[in-house]
Amino acid sequence: MHHPVADTSLIRHAHDEAALWHEGQRRRSGDPFLTHCLAVAAIVADIGMPPAVICAALLHDVDDTPCPPGRVTEHFGQETADLISAVRTAKLTAIPPSALDFAIARQPGLRPTREQAVLAVRLADRLHNMRTIAFVAPTRRYLVARETLDIIAPLARGAGLTDVSRELHDLSSAVLQPTSTAFAVATRALSMLTLLLPTPTRARWREEWHAELAALPTRRTRTRFTLQVLLSTPRLSWTLRRPTSREHRC
């Protein structure tokens, strides 16, 4: 823990408040909405933020509940209320890179700047949303992944949060390139089919087939092409071997 002497009673209070106001709310996955609040808070704690920022993470979506205006200020202070407001409204691209050095902010006894606290919660929120993005509609899923890859992941990397940046990058890439696994399977299948061809010709046909496969735009067209190659390879092999057979008979 980055703040071993911190009073956790405030965090427990924030948990209870989040549980109260998010009661009955569900995520698209069907999980209680509180699971999202807890996940975001856990990521913020792993980043090394102090209790006040962890509380803001637990309560970052409370404005979307019947929670009365002013209650957060009353129970957690103006600083936490302002931080929650900033998390909801701040434009991350407007934060200067010089304000994003987490190496100092995560040292015990030091307080993060407002910009660092806002970025920590926003990154944690996006990271958990990316972990559960399979439940989002495809069009929205693509837009979120594109923004994450182009803007959010580089911000995390610039702030020195390498692990967060890497996971955001990997999760986004998986959404934007969903056929990568299928493509790899088709590529291996084509490579195996070249083993039916005469040895001197294998490299040429493997290169040609892989190039044609990479040029096809959809999984359906790549699957069709792979099946066509599968069906035609025995005849191609027989054709390629014919000249050698004739020379041998002569």
Side-chain angles (χ1 to χ4, degrees):
M1 185 174 179
H2 296 276
H3 301 272
V5 298
D7 180 6
T8 58
S9 62
L10 194 65
I11 298 175
R12 289 196 295 270
H13 183 28
H15 168 273
D16 293 343
E17 281 289 303
L20 172 65
W21 299 110
H22 288 295
E23 184 178 4
Q25 291 185 339
R26 297 278 173 177
R27 306 197 80 213
R28 291 185 179 90
S29 62
D31 293 331
F33 194 88
L34 183 63
T35 59
H36 173 65
C37 304
L38 294 174
V40 173
I43 296 169
V44 166
D46 287 341
I47 288 174
M49 293 293 101
V53 184
I54 298 173
C55 289
L58 282 165
L59 299 167
H60 74 281
D61 279 326
V62 78
D63 285 350
D64 296 330
T65 74
C67 180
R71 182 177 175 91
V72 172
T73 303
E74 177 185 350
H75 284 252
F76 301 95
Q78 191 64 50
E79 181 182 1
T80 299
D82 289 345
L83 178 54
I84 293 172
S85 177
V87 166
R88 296 176 67 87
T89 60
K91 293 184 178 181
L92 297 184
T93 53
I95 300 177
S98 59
L100 300 181
D101 185 3
F102 276 70
I104 297 176
R106 292 190 290 178
Q107 294 182 16
L110 297 181
R111 291 167 56 87
T113 65
R114 169 62 65 84
E115 290 85 357
Q116 289 165 340
V118 168
L119 181 62
V121 179
R122 287 285 290 274
L123 287 176
D125 181 53
R126 179 57 62 93
L127 180 54
H128 186 246
N129 282 334
M130 288 303 303
R131 288 173 178 174
T132 57
I133 202 167
F135 299 99
V136 176
T139 301
R140 174 64 179 166
R141 190 187 313 162
Y142 179 88
L143 293 175
V144 171
R146 185 79 268 168
E147 180 189 48
T148 301
L149 191 65
D150 293 344
I151 299 174
I152 310 300
L155 273 174
R157 183 172 62 251
L161 302 176
T162 307
D163 291 342
V164 173
S165 175
R166 184 182 299 113
E167 187 173 356
L168 288 170
H169 181 278
D170 291 346
L171 291 170
S172 302
S173 298
V175 172
L176 298 172
Q177 301 173 351
T179 61
S180 56
T181 300
F183 182 83
V185 171
T187 300
R188 287 195 296 270
L190 292 175
S191 296
M192 292 294 292
L193 286 173
T194 62
L195 297 178
L196 299 175
L197 305 179
T199 302
T201 66
R202 290 174 185 172
R204 171 211 161 190
W205 284 100
R206 180 168 54 247
E207 181 178 352
E208 182 173 328
W209 287 343
H210 287 180
E212 291 188 44
L213 186 72
L216 297 173
T218 66
R219 178 182 300 184
R220 183 186 297 273
T221 56
R222 287 190 289 269
T223 300
R224 185 183 301 120
F225 174 76
T226 304
L227 291 175
Q228 289 174 346
V229 172
L230 174 63
L231 294 174
S232 63
T233 298
R235 182 176 179 81
L236 174 64
S237 177
W238 179 77
T239 301
L240 292 174
R241 295 177 191 277
R242 285 184 63 191
T244 303
S245 300
R246 287 174 180 170
E247 290 174 7
H248 181 72
R249 287 198 298 268
C250 293

